Amino acid sequence: MANTQYQLEGNAPQLYERETVHTLGRPLAELMFSHVILQAGERVLDAACGTGIVTRVAAQRFHHLAHIVGVDLNPGMLEVARAHTPTTGVPVEWRQGDLSALPFPDNRFEVVLCQQGLQFVPAPGAALREMRRGLVPGRRLAFTVFREVPVYYAVLADALARHVSAAAATSCLSRYTLQEATTLRTLVEAAGFGAITMRVLEVKRRMPASAASIVEAMARAPYARDVAAVEEAIRHAIGQEVSAALHTYREGAEVVIPHRSHLVQAQRA
């Protein structure tokens, strides 16, 4: 991640690995690799790798890769990634770095992957140009970004706007900035890529449905300070309101929420 707003502190990287990776990151990576096939001998960059789920799935699926490098701005995420380094025989390296200024020479990789990272970068065009710079001419980029706001976060943002602040609601929705397909394609073309293909991937994510769990999740979010500034009764009311609004998605103690993403594949021109 290159946006300091999303720097995770304390035990947040461990919670991210335990909760978000389990329910969204791994299923999305598995789905992505049903469409993105890596070849023997390829050098792969996992850009904005987080706790390393794309690297782990790639190493498990494609045993004859030459090398995978995971890069992320957040040292806490990289610490968790190192603790989960795959032992499949594929050489793996973890590096700290910003997507807008990747710490690699030109033409280093045959494949650049980026799962749900580009939408957090303040200047996604600059990040795409950096990914292009790192690619061997004629080789491949594949990345995912959210296609739409999942209903869970749409409902939550509405409640935050009414009960907390417009800033909290904006923060809640800030990861959904690259939804529009035409704009996204134009951005990729402008960065110097061709042979662009796009498809939609859907993961049905299981999430806790109780009011208490929703309040707990808000306390770990980028807008946690805004939420903490309001009275406990208001936080509880937000949890109850969001939980009630999601009743049609409920399965037992959880809700099952569709998360749809664009998968963009392109070639360095």
Side-chain angles (χ1 to χ4, degrees):
M1 300 180 188
N3 188 340
T4 55
Q5 180 184 6
Y6 281 89
Q7 292 304 291
L8 302 182
E9 300 175 350
N11 69 339
Q14 289 82 4
L15 292 171
Y16 175 86
E17 170 67 26
R18 188 182 71 197
E19 298 174 4
T20 304
V21 169
H22 174 70
T23 60
L24 181 61
R26 177 174 283 278
L28 183 57
E30 296 279 4
L31 190 55
M32 180 180 70
F33 283 124
S34 67
H35 302 286
V36 178
I37 307 302
L38 306 182
Q39 305 297 325
E42 288 185 320
R43 298 167 296 173
V44 179
L45 175 64
D46 178 7
C49 65
T51 57
I53 188 57
V54 167
T55 292
R56 297 202 299 271
V57 174
Q60 290 159 3
R61 283 200 174 206
F62 308 104
H63 296 165
H64 301 294
L65 297 172
H67 193 204
I68 307 177
V69 181
V71 63
D72 199 272
L73 187 62
N74 192 300
M77 297 291 246
L78 291 170
E79 183 179 347
V80 176
R82 290 188 183 97
H84 292 82
T85 298
T87 57
T88 60
V90 177
V92 172
E93 178 185 356
W94 306 106
R95 294 279 299 274
Q96 186 172 8
D98 192 323
L99 288 195
S100 298
L102 290 170
F104 307 107
D106 296 357
N107 311 333
R108 171 74 183 277
F109 303 99
E110 280 76 37
V111 182
V112 173
L113 306 171
C114 184
Q115 177 168 286
Q116 306 300 84
L118 192 64
Q119 57 216 357
F120 293 104
V121 181
L128 285 166
R129 290 191 294 273
E130 274 293 277
M131 294 180 200
R132 180 187 182 277
R133 180 184 65 78
L135 277 168
V136 173
R139 303 312 291 264
R140 299 178 293 153
L141 166 71
F143 68 91
T144 59
V145 293
F146 286 115
R147 177 178 179 263
E148 61 195 27
V149 180
V151 63
Y152 178 100
Y153 293 103
V155 170
L156 177 58
D158 179 67
L160 289 169
R162 287 183 287 103
H163 296 292
V164 180
S165 67
T170 298
S171 178
C172 180
L173 298 177
S174 61
R175 73 192 74 182
Y176 307 106
T177 56
L178 295 175
Q179 300 177 60
E180 212 284 317
T182 302
T183 301
L184 190 57
R185 180 181 290 272
T186 300
L187 193 66
V188 176
E189 288 177 344
F193 290 95
I196 300 167
T197 65
M198 299 178 66
R199 67 174 69 233
V200 177
L201 306 181
E202 180 179 292
V203 171
K204 291 186 176 179
R205 183 183 181 189
R206 290 189 170 272
M207 306 175 73
S210 70
S213 67
I214 291 165
V215 172
E216 183 182 345
M218 289 192 295
R220 301 194 300 269
Y223 42 87
R225 290 184 181 179
D226 295 313
V227 174
V230 303
E231 295 178 2
E232 182 178 355
I234 294 176
R235 294 194 294 272
H236 183 66
I238 293 171
Q240 288 184 316
E241 188 174 306
V242 173
S243 180
L246 297 172
H247 71 278
T248 58
Y249 298 89
R250 189 179 294 273
E251 291 187 10
E254 298 176 313
V255 287
V256 180
I257 305 295
H259 283 57
R260 299 182 182 95
S261 300
H262 293 292
L263 168 60
V264 182
Q265 298 190 67
Q267 184 177 8
R268 174 176 170 175

